[in-house]
Every structure is written in C-alpha cells, then in structure tokens.
Amino acid sequence: MKKIVRQLVLGFTGIMMAGIANAQLVANDKIQEEKIRSLISQMTLEEKVSLLHANSKFYVSGIKRLGIPEWALSDGPHGVRAEINRHDWAYAGWTNDSSTCFPPGTALAATWNPKLAYERGIVLGEEARFRKKDILLGPGINIIRSPLCGRNFEYMSEDPLLISRMSVAYIKALQSKDVAVSVKHWLANNQEEHRDSIDVHMSERALREIYLPGFKASITEGGAYTVMAAYNKFRGDWCSENEYLNREILRKEFGFKGVLMTDWAAAHTTIKAALTGLDLEMGTDKKDYNDWYFANPLIRAVEEGKVPVAVVDEKVANVLRVMMKTKMFDEDKREKGKMNTPEHQQAAYNDAAEAAVLLQNNGNILPLNFNNIKSIAVIGDNATRRHCNGGLSSEIKALYEITPLEAIRKKFGATVKINFAQGYEKQSTFKEGSNTGQTSSDKVDWKLIDEAVEVAKESEVVIIFGGLNHDFDTESSDKQSMDLPYGQDVLIREVAKANPNTVVVIIAGSPVKLSGIVHRVPAILWSWFGGMEGGNAVADLLSGKINPSGKLPFTLPVSLDQSPAHALGNFPGRNLSVNYEEDILVGYRWFDTKKIVPQFPFGFGLSYTDFSISNFYTDKINYGKGETIHAKCTVKNTGSHYGAEVVQLYVSDPACSVLRPEKELKGFEKIFLHPGEVKTVDLMVKIADLAFYDETKKAWNVEAGDFVLHIGNSSRNISKSVKISVK
Ligand code: BGC
C-alpha cells in the first residue's frame, strides 16, 4: 500500500514538474517572440535584408548596433569541415581545424543504433561550438532511391523509419549543444546527375509515405532549427521556391518556425522565393553580394510593393529565433565546446565498430585467431587509402585516419608476418560534376594481380580490402555502374584460387555488385568508409575483439536492373525530368513485393554468435484506431560470443483497397546479449502508423481489417508472424 501511495505521489509530482516545465517553455517562447518583434522594429529594411543572404561562403552578416552577431555555418554531416576562405572555395590553411571524422551516413544507419546517432550529435555539437560555428549543415537524409546516387554514402537508408529514428536522435543531441542543424536536402535530391536542373515528379502517396517522413520526424520530433532546400525542381518548381513544399507542408503542416536556407547557389528568383517561404540565400554565384536575389533585388521588390515588408519580417524573425534558440544572444550561457578529445575519438570508433555488416562467413573463417596465425596477406588499395578527406562538401580534415594496414600492423605485427600487396590501383581521377573520371572500364593490372597471388600463396590467410573510394561515392556525380572498379573481380578471383582462406572487406558507402565474388570467397565484411578510426575498428572486427552487429540499411541488389528505378528505366530521367514510377516501392518494398531475390536483403547482417527470436506475441488481437500495439518477443544469444541482434518488426496489410508493399518496417531495437542471456523486447507501434496515404481522401487512412506483424532480423528472415485485427 505504502509503495502504491509513494508511486502515486511520485507520478503526481512528475506530472506537476512536467506541467511547470511546459509552462516555463511557453513563457520563454513568449519573451523570445517579444524580443524578436522589438529587434525587428528597430531595423531598417537594409538591415533586415542583410540577415537574409550570406556575406561570404559560409557566413551571414550580423547587425552590430543591435547586438546581432555574425552567423557562422559549416559543412559537416560526419565531422566539422575545415575552414574555407571567406570569398573562394580554397581552404583557409588553418592549423587548428583538424577534427574528428565519423563514418558517413550509410554507416551510421547500418548501426541501427539511435544511441550512436545521439552520441555523434553530441560530439559534432561540441566540435562545432569549439570552432565557433552556429549551424552545422546536416544531417543528409534523402532516401537512397538508386544504388548509383553519388551521395548515397552521406545519406542513410532506403527506409523512412530507419532514417527518422537516426535523424531525430542526431538532431536532438547536436542542438542540445547550442548549434543548429540544417536537415538536407529538402526535397527529393535523390541523384546528383543534373541535380541543379532535374524536375522530380512523384505521386502524392510516394511523397507522403517515402520521401517526407524523415523530414517530418526531423522537424516535428527532432525540432530541427534549419532546413536546406535542394537544388532540384519538384513538380515544376525549384525546391527553393516551391509553394507546396515550403508553405503548405513545411510551414503549415509541420509547423516549422526555423530557417529555410538554399543549398549553395540554389536560389533562382527574388519575388517568388520570398513569397513562397525561403529565408536565407547561400552560395549564389555572383561576386557582389549586393546583387544576390535576397540582397538589393529584395529591397527593390519591397519598395516596389511586390514583396510585403511583413514577409521580410517573417524571415528575419525566423533567423532571430534560431539565433536565440542556439543562445547566440547569451554567449555566457552557451556551450563552449571541445575538440578532438579521446571521448570524441572513441565515439568515432564505436560507430565504425557497430556499423560493419558481416555478409558472409562460410565455415566460420572469421573471426581470425591471430594468436595461431603466423602470416597474413593484406591486399588492396583500400588497405592503405584514406577516405575522410573525400566526397566534396562532406570531406573532413581528420586529425588522423588509421588505415586498415596500419591498424593490422600495429595490433598484430609483432607476432604475425604481414605481407602487403597493392593488388589493384586507383585508375580514376575525380573531377567535380563530371562522371568521366569514374567509369569502370578499367584495365586489369596483371602485374599487380601476380604480385598479390604470390603474397597470397605465402600467407596462411588473405584479407583483401576493396570496394570504392570517393571518386565514386561523391557529391556532384553519380556512379556509372554498380561494378567493383579497377578489375577487383579478377583480382579477388585469382587470389581466392591461390589461397581459399580469403576474406574480402568492402569499403564503400553505396551498393556495389558482389555477384562476381560471393561464390569465390568464404567471408565478406562490409566496413563502409570507417572515418578516422576505421582501420582500428576493422582490425578488431576481423580478430573478434568486436563482434559485427551492423545490418544493411539498403538492399544490395544482384545487379542494377533488379533495382526499381532502373528496372523501370527512370534513372536519371529524360529531358531533365524524372518520374518516380516505382512509386512507394522503393528498396526492399520493391524487392519483397515483386518477389525479386537480392544479393543481400535490407536489414541483413551476420554475427559471430547466434541468436534466437522467439515467443512473439502482441498484447491484444483486436485494436481500435487510436491504440498502440505492444509486440513482444524474446531474444536469446544461443552462441558463444557477446554480441548484438537487431530485432526488426515489419507489418503487412494483406487486404487493402490500394496496393501495399509486401511488408514495411515499423519498429526495431538493437539488443546486446552475453552468451546464454535472454531479453524481452517490447516494440510499440501505433495503429495510426499502419496507415497508407489515401490520395482520394488526401489523408492518412487505416482500413479496418487484418494486419500481419512479422518479427525477424532482416526483411527476408522472419522468425514468426502474428495476425491482428483493427476495428
Ligand atoms: C551541397 C550541400 C553543402 C553545400 C555547402 C552544396 O553543394 O549540396 O550539401 O552543404 O554545398 O558546401
């Protein structure tokens, strides 16, 4: 009884406290809005407009006499970019701007661990503040629609739920350090080819179900302070001046009160952009900043009565609001930040360690027992290549970057003979905005292959580090194929013939074709671009110090033509227009619905231990539309290594008035277990989240009837399914 009373008292106190905190927030917001109004009332039109366009590559002017500071922006979904000259794109040559470099977006998503996204956000926030930055441009959350998109590596997934969970955690953490995020690229920047001219068309349903949810969650749950409008057009209008996207959806539906900025040089007009809700112009390619669309032309437009001054005030208010939220007027109370701490480096390591996906491990060749091995061959350009400093706007001047070969030598070199061979050579040269440097019509270099075969023969075990580099996974151009470049297929074939104990490690941030190698080697580990600690993590994964626990955040097709956009011939579009005909069937939604067997499915990844998922049930059988399902199951580590399993909950709607994907991810959780340990997982799904977007009603719709819930550890490995009914 006493316990119940205590709980009641505690519960009541909790509600009271939450109520007080909420009231405090409302009061603070009120004070803030008054302060904003007062500041605006003291500004001249020229001063107002000076806040709405950059005064250099990454800064926006302040207004000294009103105590409004200059605004400092920096690139960086996975690190704070080195300082760039104010008025050109060259690096400023600072000696104190090397930073922590995390593995890029697809790797983060492959951890399926929002706690790591949160940890990353904290680190980035601290480093951004240390560098005195106010806005860190990212996260990049566009849907991975095609395996070829050059920026896939920066983005996260083909699945909106996985994106949403990672993005929200990242944003909350980063902004807690008094730095604003800029969620990008709003919207449908799903290819780099013709990115600054392509007009994207898709159904309203695809927009609502696939392309918007990540942004919606980032804004309504994550509370993102700024959003970056993409280069492309959407349904005929540039994203930076798109009434439907920017006024209707972003402002009205999502209630966004922050700043909508352009991508760099993505502004096209003054009046239309101003009226449709753009706030801030960045990166325009005109030397005199006064000539920018949101500079003198905006002043003129107001004077001529074409843009009401209230519209300008609205933009200035958005800018000031973000400044206040990030405590720019309260420097004493603001996060001071720190840089390159051991904790930051540990966070980068944790991501690389949890991101790696074990795709194949025949005969349990991995982990390698380095205590019993006398010699290994390390082969491949990616064994020694550093990647942090590539990919264009997301490139990082990392404080250091450990390559796989360096880590293997350091960790095992004292007792194991390490025989290195180059194996293949980088034959491409990168040129911004052009695909010419990266075709894979490469020569097979038999001299390098012969050398590699020789070291393979001399060694007990071989590790080939292959995959891509940032000539392929890069902003500004798309890959031309999914092939492994530089003759790697032939290299792997010949080496595996010479030594069957060959492990392949793929370093890449987007899908590549593995059909030429899966039958030739016993083990494949996908380790992504691993950031500054990538080499250490991969060495620890190979030796078993760390047990792989990553899962694919995208489907790995056998070949490009399996993939929806390519199967339907609508990538990269025709006549500068692309129609997303695959509609809602993106990624595994397509593969599963069309019963196409990919090379490796979405959500897939092996471990050095085994798990069982059992005892799957829901708390009820019949649900009302406002209710929440509790889907519970038991996960057990049935093997002999400590490890983690990602329990994935998919839902099907077998009888519906419209086509539904075969299944859709509706929940997941990463569970860490010691050998023999058992945990119960409770995944909650709102019935409302089972809805489809009903184009006839222009609303979300859950049709009454049966739904099937599937629990498993990939979209294609379902342990059990349970039927529920919605009234
Ligand atoms: C990219 C953005 C980036 C900006 C600034 C653009 O080219 O698309 O993602 O933040 O440049 O570097």
Side-chain angles (χ1 to χ4, degrees):
M1 185 62 188
K2 253 190 194 160
K3 204 173 153 195
I4 295 174
V5 172
R6 202 173 54 235
Q7 275 172 358
L8 279 174
V9 171
L10 280 177
F12 184 67
T13 320
I15 293 169
M16 288 276 291
M17 298 291 281
I20 293 169
N22 263 343
Q24 190 62 46
L25 278 181
V26 174
N28 286 350
D29 278 354
K30 228 173 136 193
I31 297 170
Q32 207 170 74
E33 292 304 315
E34 273 160 24
K35 198 169 164 199
I36 289 171
R37 267 198 299 278
S38 149
L39 277 170
I40 294 177
S41 70
Q42 299 169 59
M43 289 179 197
T44 64
L45 179 60
E46 284 70 18
E47 282 175 332
K48 290 176 186 173
V49 167
S50 74
L51 298 177
L52 306 181
H53 64 90
N55 66 9
S56 52
K57 291 287 174 213
F58 284 93
Y59 291 86
V60 180
S61 301
I63 305 174
K64 246 197 177 144
R65 71 173 187 94
L66 296 175
I68 299 173
E70 188 176 56
W71 231 8
L73 288 71
S74 170
D75 264 316
H78 47 269
V80 182
R81 193 180 185 184
E83 195 68 18
I84 284 173
N85 282 340
R86 280 212 160 223
H87 304 294
D88 65 55
W89 281 104
Y91 280 101
W94 287 13
T95 50
N96 57 354
D97 57 352
S98 301
S99 64
T100 299
C101 177
F102 283 91
T106 39
L108 175 61
T111 68
W112 289 63
N113 187 350
K115 287 196 186 101
L116 293 181
Y118 192 89
E119 189 175 70
R120 173 180 300 211
I122 294 288
V123 173
L124 293 179
E126 288 176 352
E127 299 214 346
R129 279 313 302 136
F130 190 85
R131 288 269 315 280
K132 303 213 176 328
K133 300 300 177 194
D134 307 305
I135 302 181
L136 197 67
L137 306 173
I141 62 162
N142 292 97
I143 287 282
I144 295 183
R145 172 176 179 254
S146 154
L148 299 188
C149 174
R151 281 187 108 163
N152 283 341
F153 78 101
E154 269 187 80
Y155 299 153
M156 293 184 184
S157 176
E158 64 191 25
D159 182 79
L161 179 73
L162 181 56
I163 293 173
S164 301
R165 297 282 64 86
M166 302 310 277
S167 180
V168 166
Y170 176 113
I171 292 168
K172 283 191 169 164
L174 201 144
Q175 294 193 159
S176 78
K177 295 290 170 183
D178 308 328
V179 181
V181 298
S182 193
V183 187
K184 59 190 191 181
H185 306 88
W186 170 259
L187 191 92
N189 183 181
N190 308 102
Q191 64 190 60
E192 289 300 280
E193 195 145 347
H194 308 306
R195 67 173 173 175
D196 46 13
S197 48
I198 194 88
D199 185 9
V200 179
H201 293 265
M202 66 174 78
S203 73
E204 191 62 16
R205 187 169 169 211
L207 174 68
R208 300 279 166 175
E209 292 188 22
I210 306 291
Y211 294 91
L212 277 181
F215 286 95
K216 182 176 183 186
S218 298
I219 291 154
T220 59
E221 288 175 56
Y225 294 151
T226 92
V227 170
M228 186 190 291
Y231 285 119
N232 49 283
K233 289 181 181 170
F234 178 79
R235 295 183 186 159
D237 285 318
W238 298 110
C239 287
S240 57
E241 48 180 60
N242 197 296
E243 169 89 25
Y244 186 55
L245 290 181
N246 302 344
R247 283 267 179 228
E248 287 302 312
I249 298 180
L250 189 65
R251 302 283 181 195
K252 274 199 206 139
E253 284 185 35
F254 297 174
F256 180 65
K257 294 202 166 62
V259 166
L260 176 65
M261 69 177 77
T262 62
D263 198 340
W264 269 234
H268 295 271
T269 59
T270 299
I271 298 168
K272 188 169 176 193
L275 296 177
T276 51
L278 182 74
D279 298 309
L280 180 62
E281 179 186 8
M282 298 299 300
T284 297
D285 214 5
K286 287 184 187 168
K287 245 191 156 162
D288 188 342
Y289 298 97
N290 293 317
D291 293 340
W292 285 25
Y293 299 101
F294 272 21
N296 285 348
L298 182 56
I299 296 175
R300 270 198 305 277
V302 174
E303 286 167 350
E304 289 165 10
K306 291 177 182 151
V307 173
V309 78
V311 167
V312 172
D313 289 355
E314 177 199 3
K315 298 179 198 312
V316 175
N318 293 339
V319 168
L320 295 176
R321 194 171 297 119
V322 174
M323 288 183 160
M324 285 177 192
K325 297 259 182 239
T326 50
K327 305 202 184 106
M328 285 181 69
F329 293 93
D330 231 345
E331 278 296 331
D332 289 351
K333 296 203 186 122
R334 200 174 188 201
E335 169 76 29
K336 298 283 170 291
K338 46 190 155 176
M339 193 91 178
N340 297 320
T341 68
E343 291 77 26
H344 291 186
Q345 290 149 14
Q346 181 67 41
Y349 171 89
N350 293 347
D351 284 12
E354 273 197 44
V357 182
L358 183 60
L359 292 175
Q360 182 162 298
N361 194 17
N362 298 341
N364 290 336
I365 182 173
L366 290 175
L368 300 172
N369 184 348
F370 281 92
N371 293 326
N372 290 342
I373 295 172
K374 294 197 179 55
S375 58
I376 62 166
V378 174
I379 295 171
D381 183 75
N382 270 342
T384 55
R385 182 163 299 281
R386 291 183 168 78
H387 297 282
C388 288
N389 193 19
L392 273 188
S393 65
S394 66
E395 66 198 19
I396 301 298
K397 183 171 147 194
L399 184 68
Y400 61 82
E401 179 178 350
I402 313 277
T403 66
L405 182 61
E406 283 167 352
I408 290 170
R409 282 204 169 122
K410 189 153 173 235
K411 286 172 192 269
F412 313 111
T415 56
V416 181
K417 183 163 184 292
I418 293 157
N419 304 311
F420 173 71
Q422 175 79 22
Y424 68 93
E425 214 163 29
K426 175 176 172 301
Q427 296 170 30
S428 49
T429 42
F430 176 69
K431 204 166 147 249
E432 186 172 346
S434 130
N435 297 320
T436 50
Q438 26 157 301
T439 51
S440 48
S441 55
D442 305 322
K443 295 185 293 294
V444 172
D445 192 329
W446 281 103
K447 187 169 161 287
L448 291 180
I449 292 179
D450 288 345
E451 277 168 27
V453 165
E454 278 317 300
V455 300
K457 281 185 187 158
E458 284 164 21
S459 312
E460 282 173 54
V461 179
V462 181
I463 311 169
I464 301 180
F465 289 90
L468 302 174
N469 55 46
H470 286 301
D471 287 357
F472 298 85
D473 279 327
T474 180
E475 179 187 338
S476 87
S477 52
D478 293 328
K479 290 190 295 187
Q480 295 304 288
S481 81
M482 256 176 60
D483 295 346
L484 279 172
Y486 318 131
Q488 288 180 67
D489 278 324
V490 181
L491 166 75
I492 293 167
R493 183 187 75 203
E494 293 303 310
V495 168
K497 268 199 251 165
N499 188 335
N501 294 327
T502 293
V503 174
V504 171
V505 177
I506 297 288
I507 293 181
S510 63
V512 292
K513 197 164 158 186
L514 298 181
S515 56
I517 65 168
V518 279
H519 303 297
R520 301 194 185 276
V521 295
I524 303 174
L525 178 73
W526 189 298
S527 79
W528 313 99
F529 297 114
M532 71 198 304
E533 283 285 338
N536 281 333
V538 81
D540 290 344
L541 286 153
L542 292 168
S543 73
K545 186 174 172 200
I546 300 283
N547 189 350
S549 65
K551 303 279 177 181
L552 287 176
F554 49 64
T555 306
L556 211 53
V558 174
S559 56
L560 193 59
D561 55 8
Q562 281 192 328
S563 189
H566 299 274
L568 298 173
N570 58 23
F571 184 97
R574 267 178 228 108
N575 303 325
L576 300 183
S577 176
V578 58
N579 185 12
Y580 291 6
E581 285 166 69
E582 71 283 2
D583 204 45
I584 52 163
L585 298 183
V586 175
Y588 69 91
R589 287 167 166 80
W590 167 268
F591 282 81
D592 291 355
T593 308
K594 300 284 179 187
K595 314 246 178 297
I596 300 165
V597 181
Q599 193 75 62
F600 293 103
F602 174 79
F604 176 80
L606 302 171
S607 165
Y608 297 153
T609 193
D610 294 307
F611 298 97
S612 69
I613 301 177
S614 60
N615 197 23
F616 178 47
Y617 65 98
T618 51
D619 57 337
K620 302 204 301 181
I621 304 292
N622 298 307
Y623 293 87
K625 290 199 175 160
E627 291 188 273
T628 295
I629 308 167
H630 285 263
K632 296 188 189 181
C633 68
T634 309
V635 195
K636 181 172 182 187
N637 183 340
T638 57
S640 51
H641 289 74
Y642 175 73
E645 180 60 299
V646 178
V647 180
Q648 302 163 36
L649 179 71
Y650 295 87
V651 179
S652 321
D653 184 0
C656 184
S657 60
V658 297
L659 172 88
R660 307 281 321 245
E662 168 73 22
K663 60 177 103 63
E664 295 183 274
L665 185 72
K666 292 292 169 188
F668 64 88
E669 195 172 330
K670 191 166 194 175
I671 310 289
F672 293 80
L673 295 166
H674 291 282
E677 198 183 348
V678 180
K679 276 187 190 161
T680 301
V681 183
D682 180 358
L683 295 167
M684 286 181 280
V685 184
K686 289 189 191 134
I687 294 294
D689 289 341
L690 306 185
F692 63 95
Y693 187 80
D694 191 332
E695 296 194 332
T696 53
K697 294 190 167 130
K698 292 195 175 18
W700 291 94
N701 187 358
V702 188
E703 284 177 353
D706 293 344
F707 289 82
V708 184
L709 277 61
H710 313 274
I711 202 85
N713 64 358
S714 85
S715 81
R716 295 207 160 212
N717 190 23
I718 299 303
S719 313
K720 202 178 167 206
S721 303
V722 164
K723 200 181 337 171
I724 61 139
S725 184
V726 174
K727 294 273 169 277

